[in-house]
Amino acid sequence: MKSKTEAIIISSMNLGEADKLVTFFSLDRGMQKGVAKNARKSFRRFGAGLEAFTTCRLHLHEREHQELVRIESADILSQPVDICNDLVRAAAGAVMLELVKELAPPNERNASAFLLLAHILHLLNAGEDPNFLLSIFEIKFLSLLGYQPKLDHCLACGIQPKGDVIFMGMKGGMLCQECVVSSEEPQVKLSQGAVGFYYQALRMDMDKICRLKPSPGIMKELDQAFAAHTFHILGKKLKSTEFLRSVSSI
Ligand SMILES: [Zn+2]
C-alpha cells in the first residue's frame, strides 16, 4: 500500500552498499522505521531529506506484517540547517531526538507531540537558548506521552507545600520536607520558583513560550529533576545528555 506522511527525521544510518535505515516521527503514525533503497546514490529521490532534524513529506510503501516500511522518496518541507552549525544547539537537539526515539511508542499517532517537536526545532534553529528549549520540550513532551511528574502535592501527605520540596525520580512526584526520610535514592531539591515555572511552561502556548525567562538556578533544578525522572522511566541515562553537558560548560 502506498501512502505519504509528514515526518521529522530522528536518525538515519547506512545499510549495506547503498541503502539507509531511517527512524522517523510522523504526524500520522508516530515513531516508525523504514528502508530507503539506494538512498546514498539517488539524489533525485532523496536529496538531503533524510538528515536528522529535517521535516519532510515521505512517500512510503507499506506491506502487511512487515515492521519496516519502504521509503520511496522524500520532499523536504523544512531543514533547520543552523541547528547543526552550533555545537550546543546540535547537542540539545540530539537530546530531544533521543527522547522521542526512546519514549514515543511505535505506530501510535500523537499529533500534539509531533507539532511540539516541529515548533521546538524551529525555535532552536532560530537561535533561542538551547537549554531553555530542551527544558520546555521535556516538560511538554513527557506530559503529552503520559509521563507528567506530579509536583502539585506531596505524594505522602497530600498537602501543597509552601517551601522547597524533594523530587523523587522513583515515584515520579515529590515529597514535602516533613515527609522526606533519608533513603538510598539521590534527592533532587525543587524550589517553589521551579515548581511554579514548571506549571507555567506546561500550560503556556508554544507561541508565547519564549516570553518565559527562568533564572539559571531554576533551569538547573529542573534539569536535575528531569534527569532523575527520565532515568526512572527508561531505566538508563540518555546517551546524548553527557555530550550536551560537556559542550554547554565550555
Ligand atoms: Zn508531605
Side-chain angles (χ1 to χ4, degrees):
M1 190 183 72
K2 294 202 175 201
S3 64
K4 55 186 172 186
T5 186
E6 196 174 322
I8 296 168
I9 306 297
I10 302 295
S11 67
S12 136
M13 55 189 271
N14 292 343
L15 188 71
E17 288 289 303
D19 306 342
K20 278 193 170 185
L21 176 64
V22 184
T23 304
F24 57 94
F25 188 51
S26 83
L27 177 61
D28 302 320
R29 277 160 295 180
M31 185 62 68
Q32 281 189 297
K33 280 185 182 184
V35 174
K37 286 268 174 204
N38 259 328
R40 280 142 68 201
K41 292 185 177 161
S42 177
F43 193 79
R44 184 179 58 81
R45 286 190 296 131
F46 296 105
L50 301 178
E51 303 291 326
F53 302 118
T54 306
T55 302
C56 46
R57 185 174 296 106
L58 294 179
H59 298 260
L60 305 174
H61 189 150
E62 294 173 272
R63 277 166 295 182
E64 258 187 274
H65 310 303
Q66 288 210 338
E67 196 192 332
L68 290 175
V69 298
R70 188 161 150 168
I71 304 171
E72 309 249 307
S73 63
D75 307 321
I76 295 174
L77 299 176
S78 81
Q79 194 155 42
V81 286
D82 287 334
I83 293 179
C84 297
N85 288 336
D86 178 276
L87 211 50
V88 181
R89 274 189 236 172
V95 177
M96 294 171 195
L97 296 189
E98 193 181 349
L99 269 173
V100 176
K101 191 172 189 172
E102 292 287 349
L103 288 176
N107 304 312
E108 211 169 281
R109 179 186 160 91
N110 191 331
S112 303
F114 175 89
L115 294 172
L116 170 68
L117 180 63
H119 205 140
I120 287 272
L121 291 180
H122 170 75
L123 293 174
L124 187 63
N125 190 56
E128 292 291 341
D129 177 0
N131 286 299
F132 168 75
L133 290 175
L134 176 58
S135 211
I136 297 296
F137 183 72
E138 287 176 324
I139 289 169
K140 289 182 175 286
F141 184 71
L142 289 177
S143 169
L144 288 171
L145 264 67
Y147 296 113
Q148 185 184 334
K150 307 267 180 300
L151 301 180
D152 55 351
H153 64 271
C154 169
L155 290 171
C157 69
I159 65 153
Q160 251 181 308
K162 298 268 185 290
D164 292 350
V165 298
I166 303 298
F167 181 72
M168 311 295 286
M170 286 276 284
K171 299 188 173 74
M174 56 84 164
L175 294 174
C176 72
Q177 297 282 4
E178 280 71 42
C179 295
V180 177
V181 284
S182 61
S183 72
E184 294 292 304
E185 192 181 352
Q187 299 186 341
V188 181
K189 182 184 78 74
L190 284 177
S191 61
Q192 280 304 299
V195 173
F197 171 77
Y198 170 79
Y199 281 107
Q200 210 179 2
L202 188 65
R203 291 179 190 129
M204 190 172 270
D205 284 348
M206 279 303 293
D207 292 340
K208 299 181 188 136
I209 207 80
C210 292
R211 293 181 195 170
L212 292 175
K213 301 282 177 229
S215 69
I218 284 179
M219 294 284 294
K220 193 168 178 199
E221 287 177 42
L222 285 173
D223 178 42
Q224 289 172 341
F226 271 91
H229 191 45
T230 48
F231 178 79
H232 175 63
I233 296 167
L234 296 173
K236 62 179 181 185
K237 280 187 185 175
L238 292 174
K239 285 185 213 147
S240 46
T241 308
E242 277 310 306
F243 180 59
L244 174 62
R245 292 223 170 95
S246 66
V247 294
S248 292
S249 60
I250 293 171

